[in-house]
Amino acid sequence: MSPPFALPAVLHELVRTHQTFLTYAAIHTHTLDLTLPQFDIILTLGNALDMTFKRLGEKTLITKGTLTGIINRLEDKGLVQRVASKTDSRCQILRLTSAGTVLFEHAVPEHLDYVHRIFKGYSPEDIATLEAALLRLRKSVVAGSCVGSGKLVDGVDGWCDKVKDVCKNYQGSL
Amino acid sequence: MSPPFALPAVLHELVRTHQTFLTYAAIHTHTLDLTLPQFDIILTLGNALDMTFKRLGEKTLITKGTLTGIINRLEDKGLVQRVASKTDSRCQILRLTSAGTVLFEHAVPEHLDYVHRIFKGYSPEDIATLEAALLRLRKSVVAGSCVGSGKLVDGVDGWCDKVKDVCKNYQGSL
DNA sequence: ACTATTTTGTTCTAATTAGAACCAAATAGG
DNA sequence: CCTATTTGGTTCTAATTAGAACAAAATAGT
């Protein structure tokens, strides 16, 4: 029986599906002695040149305070290096080391094969429909943020901007 | 341009939609000086009697090591109390205090109104379709776990059981 | 009745999360 | 050219995450 006060079942399912996926994906990355965020960064750096912290944060959705710590740990593992930018003294360029590149070339195709198993019974249309449904939901969350004056309750400003910031457009992989 | 190695865009969208929803939901719970996991526990305890740690962990998908810490902090806030079980000395029964009940009665309807804004433009069919699609994805993740012998690579056992454990059936709210 | 196994919640650890405060560098504006 | 503002990355904080190890209690099996 449904309790008298409950979040919509669809949101519960969103959280649960997300958690199940993370658990599944982490099982493989743990065999590489990497956490999911660490692997995500290796994947992102392997696909681009001259990545700054700012760009990496945008692509991986990791906030900058957190990102500094993760990069430190990847540096300690010898997989990532920081290079000072020649054009902006505030910036550092992040690159995979030789070991990081070797890991990228071996582990990423393996991981993608592993992840693609999820969609064994899906048609391309099924995948496109699900992706569109999720995008719609994400846009609705942002739209929900913007109802009214932008204030949820008296005294709480800026929440519309905050959700939009998370939702901001960007290109790139997970 | 799509990078040569990337996770399926639909999974990227799942992660992003989930994060956007959490950010949105947290904006409201922060006005109550509660984090999302804390609020989730208040919501769950307010809807049930005689909740044990085990049952609460199952309903909220919070692992037990984490749950102990969150309950401690809610106890410190005077919102939750532990009561020894009369039937099993290992167990403690978790209940909302008077203050916790007052908070539940005021804050939860407000939060549900806030969350329901997301679905302003959705028909009941839209919501049901999305929920079914997410459930299918979650089941596919579990099915992906079970391909082959249950071993991802040599030396890694039990991952099928691990994902199934996360995916285990249960009733209740988020 | 006894032994072996499982279960419940706690403690502990390493990593991540989000975000504020900070400082130096870059940019905007007059 | 100067002042004000914004930006990029670091440091710091509190909370959460996942999961192993543990001890005591309950259950299973003989």
Side-chain angles (χ1 to χ4, degrees), chain B residues 103-165:
Chain B
L103 177 66
F104 173 84
E105 288 170 350
H106 281 76
V108 167
E110 186 176 278
H111 189 72
L112 296 183
D113 284 346
Y114 173 71
V115 165
H116 277 107
R117 273 185 195 161
I118 295 172
F119 301 103
K120 201 172 186 313
Y122 277 71
S123 70
E125 290 74 29
D126 289 334
I127 295 175
T129 299
L130 176 58
E131 186 179 341
L134 288 166
L135 175 59
R136 180 185 176 195
L137 178 59
R138 179 156 62 83
K139 289 184 169 179
S140 298
V141 172
V142 174
S145 309
C146 296
V147 168
S149 66
K151 285 188 174 184
L152 171 63
V153 292
D154 287 342
V156 179
D157 294 321
W159 57 297
C160 178
D161 293 333
K162 184 180 175 70
V163 171
K164 277 185 167 175
D165 191 57

Side-chain angles (χ1 to χ4, degrees), chain A residues 35 38 63 65-66 73 88-90 162:
Chain A
T35 66
Q38 290 171 358
T63 56
T66 300
R73 281 181 285 279
D88 187 334
S89 298
R90 296 172 302 174
K162 182 180 177 70

Side-chain angles (χ1 to χ4, degrees), chain B residues 35 37-38 62-63 65-66 70 73 87-90 162:
Chain B
T35 66
Q38 288 170 359
I62 299 174
T63 56
T66 300
I70 299 176
R73 281 182 284 280
T87 57
D88 187 332
S89 299
R90 296 171 302 175
K162 184 180 175 70

Side-chain angles (χ1 to χ4, degrees), chain B residues 35-99:
Chain B
T35 66
L36 268 181
Q38 288 170 359
F39 184 83
D40 193 14
I41 287 172
I42 300 288
L43 175 61
T44 307
L45 292 181
N47 280 316
L49 296 172
D50 295 347
M51 180 75 59
T52 63
F53 269 79
K54 177 184 161 74
R55 283 293 289 145
L56 185 58
E58 285 170 352
K59 283 180 172 289
T60 58
L61 305 180
I62 299 174
T63 56
K64 54 188 189 176
T66 300
L67 194 54
T68 302
I70 299 176
I71 295 297
N72 287 345
R73 281 182 284 280
L74 286 171
E75 236 184 358
D76 290 342
K77 293 184 176 205
L79 299 174
V80 160
Q81 63 193 6
R82 289 172 162 96
V83 179
S85 169
K86 289 167 181 167
T87 57
D88 187 332
S89 299
R90 296 171 302 175
C91 290
Q92 306 203 43
I93 303 297
L94 298 164
R95 291 193 181 127
L96 293 181
T97 60
S98 299

